[in-house]
Amino acid sequence: MSQSKKEPLKFAYWVPNVSGGLVISSVEQRTDWGIDYNRKLAQIAERSGFEFALSQIRFTAGYGADNQHESVSFSHALLAATEKLRVIAAVLPGPWNPALLAKQIATISHLTNGRVDVNIVSGWFRGELAAIGEPWLDHDERYRRSEEFIRAIRGIWTEDVYNLRGDFYRFTDYSMKPKPIGGIPQVFQGGSSRAARDMAARVSDWYFTNGNTPEGLKAQVDDIRTKEKAFGKTWRTKIGMNAFGIVRSSEKEAQEVLQEILDKAIPEAVKGFHHEVQNAGNSSPEREGNWAKSTFQDLVQYNDGFRSNLIGTPEQVAERIIGHKRAGADLILLGFLHFQEEVEYFGKHVLPIVRELEAIEDQRLEAAE
C-alpha cells in the first residue's frame, strides 16, 4: 500500500521561542520570541490545520539568538493555551538527565491530556556547551549518548521498575509514577549522518532531516527502511523534513522575497554559523551529516529550508509538498518570515490544495490496484 493511502501528511511549525527569527538576515521578520505572541501563534496554527509545534533549545546567544526561552516550560505554556495541538519539546542530553526529562514530560502529559512529545537534539553548538561547562563529545559519541538517553526515557515511561547499566546513564530499581497518559510520548530526533540514521532506525519514532530535494530525501528514507529491517525494528520510523515557506500570490513575488532575504544576509554571522555546524556535519566519519554539503544560500536559513523549495504560489507549493510525500515524508516542519500571518495564510490557501491532491493520489492508486 502506498504512503499516500496510509495517512494524510502532517504539518508542524518551528516555535519562535528564540529571538532573531529563522533566517540569518536583516530582512524584516514580523515574528516575536515572547510568550504572548507565541500563545496567539499556537492558537492560529491549531485553527489552521497544523498538528505539531516544535520548540527550540538554545542556552546561549549567537547568530541572532540573543534571547532564548527554555523549551520544556515554554512548550507547557503553549499546550495550556491550546486544545488539540501537540508540542514537541527539544532537549539536549548533557544538560538534561533522562530521569529529569521523563518526570517533566510525564507531569506535562497529565496537565495537557497527553499532547506533549520530545525531540532529542544530539548537539552541534560546541561553544554553547563549553559556556555552560558541558563536555563536548565526538560526533558519533553524541549519538551513542542520545540513543542511550532515548532508551532510558522510554524504559522509565513503560517499565514498573527500570534498571540500566549504560556507558552514560545508570538506573537502579527506579520506579517513576505516574506514567504519562494518552500513550507514550513520541520521540523525535534530527540528523543526516550515518550515526543519526542508524539511531533513528533502532529507537526513534520520528526522524527529522534538514531541507532537501525529493531525490535527496528519498535516499535517506530508503536507507532508514533498509536499516530498520537489518536491526529488526518492530515499528516504522516516521519522517519529518524541514522547509522554509515563502507562499505568495505570484511566483515572481515569492522569488523576490527569497532574493531580499539573501541580499540582506549577514555574511559574518552565516560564516560563523557554518564554522560551528561543521562539528555536526563534516565531523561525522563519513562527512555526510547535517550541513556537510550546505552552501552559503542554504545556511541563511538554519536548517537548509530553502532546499525544500516551498517557494511560490499556493498551487506550486502544494504540488511540491506532494512530491516530498511521495519521496517518503510524513510531516513537513515549516518556518516563515512572519509567523502568525503566514501560518494562517498557509492553512487557508495551501493545506486545502494539499488535501485535494492527496485525495486525487489515493483515487489514482486505488484505480491502479
Side-chain angles (χ1 to χ4, degrees), residues 122 138-144 146-147 189-204 207 223 227 231 284-286 288-289:
S122 294
D138 288 342
H139 180 277
D140 284 9
E141 285 293 283
R142 297 199 297 276
Y143 281 96
R144 279 210 319 121
S146 291
E147 181 168 338
Q189 65 150 102
S192 295
S193 65
R194 174 78 274 149
R197 297 195 302 275
D198 284 356
M199 184 173 87
R202 281 192 290 262
V203 299
S204 299
Y207 170 74
D223 180 77
K227 284 304 186 82
F231 296 143
S284 64
E286 74 286 359
E288 289 185 1

Side-chain angles (χ1 to χ4, degrees), residues 60-93:
T60 62
Y63 321 111
D66 294 333
N67 297 283
Q68 320 91 30
H69 283 302
E70 188 276 316
S71 57
V72 176
S73 51
F74 204 81
S75 295
H76 183 202
L78 300 185
L79 288 162
T82 53
E83 297 178 354
K84 298 181 297 181
L85 187 73
R86 298 190 70 92
V87 182
I88 310 161
V91 297
L92 182 61

Side-chain angles (χ1 to χ4, degrees), residues 234-255:
T234 57
W235 72 95
R236 172 181 168 276
T237 308
K238 295 183 179 180
I239 308 298
M241 186 192 70
N242 183 66
F244 193 83
I246 305 177
V247 190
R248 301 294 186 268
S249 58
S250 72
E251 183 178 15
K252 180 176 181 291
E253 184 183 0
Q255 290 296 331

Side-chain angles (χ1 to χ4, degrees), residues 108-299:
I108 294 173
S109 173
H110 280 260
L111 298 175
T112 62
N113 198 29
R115 291 184 290 124
V116 63
D117 298 306
V118 295
N119 181 40
I120 306 304
V121 180
S122 294
W124 58 267
F125 196 171
R126 183 172 186 169
E128 179 177 64
L129 293 181
I132 63 174
E134 285 289 335
W136 179 252
L137 304 180
D138 288 342
H139 180 277
D140 284 9
E141 285 293 283
R142 297 199 297 276
Y143 281 96
R144 279 210 319 121
R145 178 174 66 178
S146 291
E147 181 168 338
E148 195 171 291
F149 190 101
I150 291 169
R151 292 183 186 277
I153 58 174
R154 192 173 278 134
I156 293 167
W157 286 332
T158 58
E159 298 181 22
D160 289 337
V161 178
Y162 183 64
N163 288 277
L164 174 68
R165 290 292 180 270
D167 292 334
F168 302 94
Y169 304 108
R170 301 291 179 96
F171 290 89
T172 302
D173 297 335
Y174 179 49
S175 178
M176 188 202 78
K177 295 181 180 179
K179 304 295 188 186
I181 63 170
I184 301 304
Q186 298 174 92
V187 176
F188 293 69
Q189 65 150 102
S192 295
S193 65
R194 174 78 274 149
R197 297 195 302 275
D198 284 356
M199 184 173 87
R202 281 192 290 262
V203 299
S204 299
D205 299 307
W206 285 86
Y207 170 74
F208 273 139
T209 185
N210 273 8
N212 212 328
T213 63
E215 296 75 18
L217 175 64
K218 186 177 186 302
Q220 290 180 296
V221 175
D222 289 347
D223 180 77
I224 288 174
R225 298 289 171 249
T226 299
K227 284 304 186 82
E228 284 174 337
K229 292 178 182 178
F231 296 143
K233 191 177 184 182
T234 57
W235 72 95
R236 172 181 168 276
T237 308
K238 295 183 179 180
I239 308 298
M241 186 192 70
N242 183 66
F244 193 83
I246 305 177
V247 190
R248 301 294 186 268
S249 58
S250 72
E251 183 178 15
K252 180 176 181 291
E253 184 183 0
Q255 290 296 331
E256 286 174 349
V257 173
L258 173 62
Q259 193 58 53
E260 183 183 9
I261 293 171
L262 297 175
D263 289 344
K264 295 181 178 179
I266 305 169
E268 296 78 13
V270 175
K271 290 175 183 177
F273 176 70
H274 181 257
H275 174 75
E276 282 289 346
V277 298
Q278 293 309 293
N279 291 313
N282 281 336
S283 64
S284 64
E286 74 286 359
R287 301 176 70 83
E288 289 185 1
N290 278 350
W291 303 289
K293 299 177 182 178
S294 301
T295 66
F296 180 92
Q297 175 172 323
D298 295 331
L299 292 167

